[in-house]
Amino acid sequence: MTSAITVRDLRKSFGQNEVLKGVSVDAREGEVISIIGASGSGKSTLLRCIPMLEVPDAGEVAIGGETIRMRSRRGHPEPADIHQVNRIRSSLGFVFQSFNLWAHMTVLQNVIEAPVHVQKRPRGECIAEAEAILEKVGMAEKRDAYPAHLSGGQQQRAAIARALAMRPRALLFDEPTSALDPELVGEVLRVIRGLAEEGRTMLIVTHEMAFAADVSTRTIFLHAGRIEEEGPPAQVFINPRTDRCRAFVTRHLNR
Ligand code: ADP
Ligand code: MG
């Protein structure tokens, strides 16, 4: 099957702190990969290197088989072609812990903003598609509301709608429910589960172990910048090979 996201031997340091020590991931079309690991293990950095929000020190990133071209500038790598990076970036949807919707725009305006102004698609078409997406995430009746008048769960579902409106090839989630009150987590996980069932390609960093075990085709356990364990969730969560992974999932499953 075609590779949607390929990361090869990614390395990244912040000063003396080597955060990624050679990480490789190959997400094929339709795969849902959950990424788990302790705080500081490099999960966010790994996710942020994919669209070059962080520039890796070494290694390679390819999206849909297209490798992001790099060059060296005064000994530091940087993307060789910013247009290529922007194009590839807009083919990926991101959902972060903080919802970062534009506060001065309604839900619908948030959702159509990039399709209209970045992708330059016809406004009418974008609105029709946005309405269908809002229906799907259960936000149709909130289309004209401003973010300040929404719950955290509603804001996050609007943020997911905004990512979907770009018709992304893959979706990257970084702890999408960590900032939510516990009673609002379920409604967001339900939406993400629906996307998994649609066969969307997704990388999901999460501490929701039961959810990860349930929706992923594969799970990666990161420890100190390395993939310490990787496999089907049945292996990683129920029968891990390493003691560290076992201790981690036991601690989190029983919370
Ligand atoms: P995780 O998401 O698994 O909690 P991160 O990838 O956010 O881990 O961070 C891994 C390590 O890198 C941490 O020690 C963090 O402090 C450090 N780090 C992350 N981003 C930066 C940055 N922009 N500048 C300096 N250090 C950073
Ligand atoms: Mg993080």
Side-chain angles (χ1 to χ4, degrees):
M1 239 201 277
T2 340
S3 281
I5 300 175
T6 309
V7 156
R8 255 180 244 114
D9 205 20
L10 219 57
R11 287 163 196 277
K12 176 71 180 174
S13 297
F14 295 107
Q16 296 299 309
N17 185 8
E18 194 181 15
V19 172
L20 297 177
K21 299 171 182 162
V23 172
S24 301
V25 179
D26 184 21
R28 293 178 293 280
E29 300 281 355
E31 268 202 290
V32 178
I33 299 183
S34 50
I35 302 168
I36 60 171
S39 176
S41 57
K43 306 180 299 295
S44 295
T45 305
L46 169 60
L47 230 53
R48 290 171 55 79
C49 280
I50 293 169
M52 298 284 146
L53 296 173
E54 296 289 355
V55 179
D57 301 327
E60 203 174 85
V61 175
I63 307 298
E66 180 184 354
T67 300
I68 300 182
R69 291 187 299 282
M70 305 296 286
R71 66 179 175 203
S72 178
R73 187 150 180 253
R74 296 195 203 94
H76 295 285
E78 64 175 25
D81 177 1
I82 195 63
H83 300 293
Q84 185 199 28
V85 170
N86 286 336
R87 178 167 49 74
I88 285 179
R89 209 175 262 172
S90 73
S91 76
L92 300 170
F94 303 97
V95 179
F96 301 105
Q97 183 173 335
S98 54
F99 325 120
N100 43 43
L101 296 167
W102 287 293
H104 62 290
M105 291 184 189
T106 65
V107 167
L108 185 75
Q109 288 166 343
N110 265 282
V111 173
I112 66 168
E113 173 69 17
V116 170
H117 291 108
V118 179
Q119 293 181 326
K120 315 267 184 220
R121 283 158 48 197
R123 193 181 174 81
E125 172 195 303
C126 293
I127 291 175
E129 197 169 308
E131 285 169 340
I133 293 170
L134 288 171
E135 186 74 46
K136 187 191 338 222
V137 303
M139 288 290 290
E141 73 285 15
K142 293 290 182 188
R143 53 169 272 170
D144 296 319
Y146 285 88
H149 297 140
L150 301 175
S151 73
Q154 291 170 333
Q155 289 184 53
Q156 195 60 309
R157 286 186 285 135
I160 294 171
R162 191 175 58 173
L164 290 173
M166 295 287 278
R167 298 179 174 171
R169 161 191 289 280
L171 292 161
L172 310 184
F173 291 89
D174 192 355
E175 299 198 31
T177 60
S178 292
L180 297 175
D181 293 333
E183 72 273 19
L184 302 177
V185 168
E187 65 190 58
V188 172
L189 294 184
R190 259 194 303 284
V191 167
I192 300 174
R193 184 191 308 270
L195 298 173
E197 284 163 3
E198 276 179 12
R200 289 186 182 266
T201 311
M202 305 199 277
L203 300 191
I204 310 175
V205 172
T206 184
H207 290 294
E208 298 289 337
M209 298 295 145
F211 169 74
D214 191 35
V215 303
S216 335
T217 53
R218 187 145 51 105
T219 300
I220 287 174
F221 172 62
L222 263 191
H223 173 73
R226 287 201 176 84
I227 294 180
E228 179 134 322
E229 177 118 12
E230 173 173 9
Q235 173 200 319
V236 175
F237 289 101
I238 296 159
N239 201 10
R241 298 174 209 271
T242 66
D243 291 342
R244 198 141 35 205
C245 184
R246 180 184 306 278
F248 180 83
V249 297
T250 308
R251 198 157 62 239
H252 282 79
L253 276 171
N254 297 336
R255 266 201 321 202

